């Protein structure tokens, strides 16, 4: 729980720092919300059930359909564009494995109601910034950016008749050799010449090698924000076929020994698909499982038991003076704890260490008087006698 709270705290503060407002939705939705977006085949990946009113429901596997439903429901009441975030509990009925659990949490950031490439730049900047806030550096991760429009344009130029058969191969390209990739392309109808041209195109790794004004503008904005070293062109990033329509991106650890840390992109048709008017959006999701694995690998998850500022101890074991002293600290918004039994002083110090306290305040020390206490900073061994404000300074 401490690890989870740490992750949630950094997520929330990073989102707020970029001006996103928090929202929430129900933990279950009508099943048709997901089949309408992804087709009936999605049912096998869901926890779904019939309720007492014979309604087909499902535990939410993702948050974006809920967001789209809420946007449709509120319609013109919402002033656009708006920036929202959520940290929902999600469920997927699939085999649990490394980096992927049946129940998990995910950070979602979305910008609704603008076609400006600045929205993508804002999201990607927020991702990089929050990963820095966790203690990661540019040596630990990168954000691979691609464009569904650019890929579609290339397939159209090559006169590919079944592009939906090709996209999954583009997504798996880095997991196979160039020869196998071209072989797979030929198996779905591309000539040898077209397969080689497409493979050569997919090898482009710099923004100068491609003709995409929106990608070039995006990279310029990220450079202006100081995040140019976090992003790179990665045309193998494809994302969901029935979902994303423009810029797409995924976040990877540089060792590439775990799943994507985050992924997202622009979706122009989701509200329309669900029966509302067409409203463009761009968003991403970052799960807690892979992120926690990466932070643990980099020794960035603190094993401290807590972050308690003050533990109040009593030489006499007088419970009344412990409660009186604790009340004075808490009235000044200082979190503190103390023994709940009259135990020896040494035992109280053991409890302070076990609680992860930064400081022990002696409620009834010889030099203690009204508003002044003896104290000891546990990390340094520094001792003193002072008022509450000075003790806080020492902390």
């Amino acid at each position: 729980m401490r690890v989870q709270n740490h992750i949630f705290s950094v997520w929330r503060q990073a989102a707020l720092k970029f001006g996103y407002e928090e929202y929430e939705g129900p933990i279950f939705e009508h099943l048709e919300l997901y089949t309408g977006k992804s087709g009936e085949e999605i049912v096998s990946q869901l926890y779904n059930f019939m309720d007492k009113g014979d309604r087909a429901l499902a535990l939410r596997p993702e948050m974006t359909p809920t967001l789209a439903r809420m946007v449709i429901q509120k319609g013109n009441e919402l002033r656009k564009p708006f920036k929202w975030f959520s940290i929902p509990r999600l469920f997927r009925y699939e085999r649990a494995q490394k980096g992927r659990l049946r129940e998990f949490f995910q950070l979602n950031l979305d910008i609704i109601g603008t076609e400006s490439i600045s929205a993508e730049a804002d999201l990607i900047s927020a991702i990089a910034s929050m990963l820095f806030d966790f203690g990661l550096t540019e040596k630990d991760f990168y954000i691979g950016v691609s464009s569904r429009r650019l890929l579609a344009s290339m397939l159209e130029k090559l006169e590919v008749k079944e592009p939906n058969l090709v996209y999954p191969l583009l997504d798996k390209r880095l997991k196979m050799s160039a020869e196998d990739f071209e072989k797979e392309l030929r198996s779905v109808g591309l000539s040898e010449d077209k397969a080689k041209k497409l493979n050569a195109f997919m090898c482009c790794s710099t923004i100068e090698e491609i003709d995409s004004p929106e990608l070039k503008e995006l990279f310029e904005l990220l450079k202006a924000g100081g995040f140019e070293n976090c992003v790179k062109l990665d045309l193998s990033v494809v994302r969901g076929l029935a979902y994303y329509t423009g810029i797409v991106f995924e976040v990877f650890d540089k060792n590439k020994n775990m799943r994507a840390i985050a992924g997202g992109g622009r979706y122009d048709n989701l509200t329309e698909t669900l029966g509302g008017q067409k409203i463009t959006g761009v968003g991403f999701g970052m799960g807690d499982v892979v992120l926690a694995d990466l932070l643990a690998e980099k020794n960035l998850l603190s094993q401290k038991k807590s972050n308690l500022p003050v533990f109040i101890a009593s030489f006499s074991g007088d419970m009344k003076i412990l409660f009186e002293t604790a009340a004075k600290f808490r009235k000044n918004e200082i979190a503190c704890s103390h023994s709940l039994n009259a135990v020896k002083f040494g035992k109280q110090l053991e409890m302070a260490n076990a609680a992860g306290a930064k400081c022990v305040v002696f409620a009834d020390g010889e030099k203690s008087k009204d508003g002044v206490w003896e104290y000891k900073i546990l990390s340094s061994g520094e001792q003193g006698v002072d008022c509450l404000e000075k003790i806080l300074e020492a902390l």
Side-chain angles (χ1 to χ4, degrees):
M1 200 67 206
R2 285 191 293 271
V3 168
Q4 188 178 90
N5 285 341
H6 170 63
I7 289 174
F8 286 9
S9 175
V10 175
W11 275 351
R12 184 168 280 111
Q13 290 307 312
L16 293 172
K17 182 166 61 176
F18 275 76
Y20 289 75
E21 187 172 3
E22 190 165 9
Y23 74 99
E24 185 43 297
I27 209 162
F28 57 83
E29 293 274 13
H30 287 279
L31 181 62
E32 64 185 10
L33 185 68
Y34 306 110
T35 56
K37 168 183 169 281
S38 304
E40 292 294 331
E41 63 273 10
I42 191 69
V43 176
S44 65
Q45 301 168 32
L46 303 178
Y47 280 95
N48 61 295
F49 59 97
M50 301 296 290
D51 74 357
K52 293 179 180 179
D54 285 333
R55 288 173 287 255
L57 304 177
L59 295 178
R60 59 189 182 192
E62 56 177 316
M63 197 62 175
T64 311
T66 294
L67 172 63
R69 178 185 59 72
M70 292 166 73
V71 170
I72 293 169
Q73 203 169 323
K74 290 295 181 182
N76 294 327
E77 291 179 47
L78 297 169
R79 186 171 182 176
K80 303 175 188 68
F82 59 85
K83 297 161 61 169
W84 283 2
F85 81 95
S86 188
I87 305 175
R89 184 190 297 265
L90 303 175
F91 302 84
R92 288 182 186 158
Y93 188 76
E94 56 188 6
R95 184 172 63 85
Q97 51 191 296
K98 182 176 171 58
R100 205 170 182 93
L101 302 180
R102 286 180 168 180
E103 180 180 349
F104 58 98
F105 289 88
Q106 187 177 80
L107 170 69
N108 286 80
L109 266 66
D110 291 87
I111 301 176
I112 304 295
T114 178
E115 296 182 357
S116 170
I117 196 69
S118 298
E120 282 90 337
D122 195 76
L123 280 172
I124 293 172
S125 298
I127 293 173
S129 178
M130 76 176 59
L131 291 177
F132 289 155
D133 290 344
F134 278 112
L136 295 167
T137 71
E138 295 162 354
K139 296 178 181 179
D140 298 317
F141 72 93
Y142 75 90
I143 304 170
V145 181
S146 183
S147 166
R148 291 295 298 276
R149 293 192 188 100
L150 179 65
L151 295 174
S153 173
M154 185 61 187
L155 295 182
E156 188 178 335
K157 190 182 296 183
L158 292 173
E159 298 177 340
V160 174
K161 294 178 181 178
E162 298 284 350
N164 282 353
L165 296 178
V166 176
Y167 281 123
L169 299 178
L170 303 184
D171 196 32
K172 295 187 293 184
R173 174 181 164 272
L174 295 181
K175 297 175 183 176
M176 59 181 91
S177 66
E179 294 76 16
D180 288 341
F181 177 60
E182 291 179 17
K183 184 179 178 181
E184 290 286 339
L185 290 175
R186 291 199 297 276
S187 73
V188 295
L190 272 70
S191 67
E192 184 177 350
D193 180 57
K194 289 180 179 179
K196 287 188 179 298
K197 285 181 179 178
L198 184 54
N199 190 33
F201 171 74
M202 293 296 290
C203 288
C204 293
S205 59
T206 64
I207 205 73
E208 291 77 23
E209 297 175 78
I210 60 168
D211 182 20
S212 173
E214 67 171 359
L215 276 173
K216 289 180 179 177
E217 184 179 356
L218 173 62
F219 275 67
E220 286 173 6
L221 290 172
L222 292 170
K223 183 177 181 179
F227 298 107
E228 70 271 23
N229 294 328
C230 304
V231 294
K232 71 176 187 178
L233 183 70
D234 186 350
L235 297 180
S236 66
V237 175
V238 175
R239 306 292 295 165
L241 296 180
Y243 196 83
Y244 295 105
T245 56
I247 297 291
V248 286
F249 50 87
E250 289 187 340
V251 187
F252 299 99
D253 72 291
K254 284 201 170 176
N255 292 332
K256 274 288 190 108
N257 60 3
M258 53 184 69
R259 293 174 178 273
I261 304 164
R266 180 166 290 277
Y267 47 88
D268 287 331
N269 306 319
L270 186 57
T271 51
E272 192 175 38
T273 302
L274 296 177
Q277 66 182 86
K278 185 172 182 176
I279 303 173
T280 188
V282 57
F284 79 87
M286 178 185 292
D288 63 331
V289 180
V290 177
L291 176 62
D293 287 345
L294 177 61
L295 295 176
E297 183 182 281
K298 303 294 181 181
N299 293 316
L300 292 173
L301 285 180
S302 172
Q303 298 303 312
K304 285 178 63 177
K305 293 206 178 296
S306 102
N307 195 28
L308 183 69
V310 171
F311 190 94
I312 300 169
S314 166
F315 290 103
S316 65
D318 186 333
M319 298 306 298
K320 184 179 175 182
I321 196 169
L322 287 175
F323 273 81
E324 286 176 350
T325 307
K328 292 175 182 177
F329 275 74
R330 289 173 186 143
K331 281 178 182 176
N332 285 275
E333 304 298 326
I334 303 165
C336 61
S337 187
H338 55 77
S339 170
L340 299 177
N341 296 298
V343 295
K344 291 182 178 180
F345 184 72
K347 181 69 173 177
Q348 293 178 64
L349 294 184
E350 289 178 15
M351 294 168 70
N353 279 307
K358 294 181 179 178
C359 172
V360 175
V361 169
F362 309 127
D364 51 4
E366 290 180 2
K367 299 176 184 176
S368 297
K369 55 185 178 181
D370 190 32
V372 176
W373 292 275
E374 293 180 45
Y375 68 90
K376 179 178 182 180
I377 305 297
L378 292 181
S379 60
S380 64
E382 173 193 345
Q383 298 188 61
V385 183
D386 231 318
C387 63
L388 189 147
E389 291 77 11
K390 294 294 183 182
I391 294 174
L392 280 181
E393 286 180 19
L395 277 175

